[in-house]
Amino acid sequence: MLPGTSPNATVLDSATRDRTRVLLLFSLSGRLRPRGTALGALADRYDYGRFASHLMTSQDVLPVPVLDEQVAPRRLRLPHGDHGLGLASLRILVVTTPRGDATLVVDCAFAGETTAGDLAVWLATTCFDRDRIELDDRPLLQTVADRLGGRPLALGQNVHQLVFPGGRLQRELLSADEARKAVLLNEIVYRGRMPWNPATPYDAPLAPHLRNHGLTLSALGRGVSVQAGWAPHVENGLVLVAVGMISALSVLQRTRLAAFAMMKANEQAPTDSPTGIRSLISRLSAGVNELQLDLAFGVEAYVDSLLIPEMVTEAFQSSLGDALGIRDSLENSARMVERLTSVISARSAALDAELAERDDRRDRTVSGLVAAATLIALPPTLLLAFFGVNGTDVDEHRSILDLSAYGTAYALAWLPFVVLVLIGWALLRRVRTRSGSLLPTPDDTFAPVPPPRSPSGNRRP
């Protein structure tokens, strides 16, 4: 029994299941923006019992169903057969968050009794060979994409499989001794890939997260959860929690890759054009804004208990979050985005400072040229005065443009000015291209790492 719950509440949240139910959650890469459909909210697709009021309050944050179909079980084919586990029912859903992060949900119920060994093989096939699962003799994802209007879809890296044992398997898990229970749960949770020997010392990192409440049992690893004895509305609530966590994990992975891509763009972009640098800063700033929105509304919105503030779901959410390492990944990703923001701000400040310095140098140069030009304006004035006087050196029968007669006077008047213009042009060009780069290039050298300290506090030689 969960701490703080009454016996009546425990009975209402527990039930006996006749058939084993398995839900396969596959993350989809890319983004699938939700559109207005007739499917309504996710809270309308399943029975959530007493959790429904919480979901109605938070429906704007919850994933939205964009596909929901009941499919004849015989239409689904696994690459290595069904391993003796025939399906009694099959339901396929695609749900997407408001940010467009989609998850494919395959809801299965088996027709007959299931054993831990057969179930482990079935789980391994649907996980490791998921790209070879077929529906109507076509790849499952291709058929789903056609149902969504031909939108291109691709499987992501994240998979989680929820197992709700039924029949004899449920009774065995709830009533077996601890040693037998550990063997069964380890086989299912690790899909038969890691045999469990009860005689060996307990290894906490490898053992499934286990909660045994008597009437119910919860055990989970990173890829598989076993939930036995829960009522259907609790099962559906746990599925909703798992969908949010898998979606959040996909967002974290996408955020991490996008942050690295922005870092490379920042390092490799040319830095000799103010327009190019401003364009780079604008693109990086827009990208960081998207990353921050993803972390806030694609991760943080699904990793706490606010959506379904109930102890049953909180315990599962906490354990699954620990198994997936979401909280540590969220903190690390948030720090990466913050530092990327700092780098962009520093680059923008450096650009502004360099441009201000360049403009100041240019203004000083232009001011000097204007002053010099004012001084050099005197020779042309004297030249005009020379032609205006009635002197013996001025022949009234010759044109003032006759350079053979007045070339020396023109040279004395204009040559200093031409030289000054050439010198000014060279100085302005030097101001524009003085360093060749408006921003410093990344330094590939690393600061020396001090030697580690010994336990006594002194540095090792």
Side-chain angles (χ1 to χ4, degrees):
M1 183 184 301
L2 289 172
T5 60
S6 66
N8 291 333
T10 303
V11 172
L12 291 175
D13 284 340
S14 63
T16 300
R17 170 171 285 280
D18 295 330
R19 294 174 176 173
T20 297
R21 179 190 182 194
V22 175
L23 282 98
L24 311 177
L25 310 181
F26 302 118
S27 65
L28 301 178
S29 61
R31 292 195 175 185
L32 186 63
R33 296 292 184 180
R35 300 179 302 180
T37 64
L39 298 178
L42 186 60
D44 300 328
R45 311 314 300 172
Y46 282 102
D47 174 24
Y48 291 97
R50 63 187 180 89
F51 302 152
S53 59
H54 301 303
L55 303 184
M56 294 303 296
T57 303
S58 307
Q59 61 181 352
D60 291 338
V61 185
L62 295 175
V64 178
V66 294
L67 176 67
D68 185 3
E69 287 190 5
Q70 291 285 351
V71 180
R74 64 178 182 278
R75 296 169 57 188
L76 185 72
R77 294 185 179 180
L78 303 186
H80 306 295
D82 58 9
H83 307 288
L85 299 178
L87 296 179
S89 65
L90 176 63
R91 185 178 182 181
I92 296 178
L93 300 92
V94 175
V95 297
T96 181
T97 68
R99 294 288 296 169
D101 303 298
T103 303
L104 172 63
V105 181
V106 181
D107 190 346
C108 307
F110 294 103
E113 294 289 350
T114 55
T115 64
D118 292 339
L119 190 57
V121 177
W122 194 90
L123 293 173
T125 299
T126 53
C127 174
F128 304 119
D129 296 322
R130 57 187 180 275
D131 55 336
R132 298 169 58 190
I133 300 176
E134 293 183 351
L135 185 66
D136 296 331
D137 298 325
R138 300 172 59 196
L140 172 62
L141 206 59
Q142 185 177 347
T143 304
V144 171
D146 292 343
R147 298 287 195 278
L148 294 173
R151 296 185 183 185
L153 299 176
L155 290 172
Q157 296 296 319
N158 302 299
V159 178
H160 196 78
Q161 299 164 310
L162 289 104
V163 179
F164 302 106
R168 185 169 61 249
L169 182 59
Q170 178 186 8
R171 294 190 296 272
E172 188 175 10
L173 285 173
L174 293 177
S175 61
D177 57 62
E178 294 301 320
R180 175 60 179 167
K181 188 176 301 183
V183 172
L184 295 174
L185 291 175
N186 189 82
E187 187 168 17
I188 297 174
V189 169
Y190 290 103
R191 307 184 183 98
R193 302 302 175 95
M194 188 177 296
W196 176 264
N197 183 4
T200 59
Y202 179 76
D203 191 348
L206 297 180
H209 293 264
L210 175 63
R211 284 187 173 90
N212 189 357
H213 314 300
L215 293 176
T216 60
L217 178 145
S218 299
L220 59 91
R222 185 179 181 87
V224 178
S225 299
V226 180
Q227 308 290 335
W230 296 109
H233 69 275
V234 177
E235 294 179 355
N236 297 331
L238 299 180
V239 172
L240 180 58
V241 170
V243 168
M245 299 293 275
I246 292 300
S247 176
L249 185 60
S250 299
V251 173
L252 282 174
Q253 293 171 343
R254 186 181 69 237
T255 301
R256 190 74 58 90
L257 294 176
F260 273 97
M262 291 182 190
M263 178 194 68
K264 291 182 180 179
N266 178 66
E267 292 178 348
Q268 298 174 0
T271 58
D272 55 353
S273 169
T275 302
I277 296 177
R278 288 194 179 99
S279 177
L280 171 65
I281 292 175
S282 178
R283 294 195 310 270
L284 293 179
S285 298
V288 168
N289 290 339
E290 285 297 314
L291 296 185
Q292 291 175 338
L293 289 175
D294 280 338
L295 292 179
F297 298 99
V299 181
E300 293 174 346
Y302 302 109
V303 297
D304 56 30
S305 60
L306 186 61
L307 295 180
I308 307 180
E310 297 286 346
M311 296 187 65
V312 175
T313 55
E314 286 179 10
F316 174 67
Q317 188 174 49
S318 176
S319 298
L320 184 57
D322 293 340
L324 297 176
I326 284 185
R327 289 176 178 83
D328 292 338
S329 298
L330 175 59
E331 293 178 1
N332 294 334
S333 298
R335 283 195 295 267
M336 290 174 62
V337 173
E338 290 176 0
R339 290 167 183 171
L340 188 59
T341 303
S342 300
V343 169
I344 295 173
S345 300
R347 170 154 286 206
S348 179
L351 174 63
D352 293 340
E354 183 65 25
L355 291 177
E357 181 182 354
R358 193 184 71 173
D359 293 342
D360 184 60
R361 293 196 306 268
R362 182 179 59 191
D363 292 342
R364 290 198 304 268
T365 303
V366 172
S367 299
L369 290 176
V370 171
T374 302
L375 295 176
I376 295 178
L378 180 61
T381 303
L382 295 176
L383 185 61
L384 293 176
F386 167 75
F387 285 112
V389 299
N390 188 16
T392 59
D393 293 330
V394 179
D395 188 351
E396 62 181 359
H397 300 291
R398 290 178 178 272
S399 171
I400 64 174
L401 300 178
D402 189 350
L403 296 181
S404 62
Y406 305 121
T408 303
Y410 273 98
L412 293 175
W414 293 105
L415 183 61
F417 182 76
V418 172
V419 172
L420 180 62
V421 170
L422 294 176
I423 293 175
W425 177 82
L427 291 176
L428 287 175
R429 182 176 177 85
R430 184 180 179 185
V431 168
R432 288 195 300 267
T433 61
R434 182 178 64 86
S435 61
S437 175
L438 293 176
L439 296 180
T441 57
D443 188 5
D444 293 333
T445 60
F446 297 93
V449 179
R453 295 180 179 273
S454 63
S456 60
N458 299 322
R459 294 190 182 273
R460 297 177 182 175

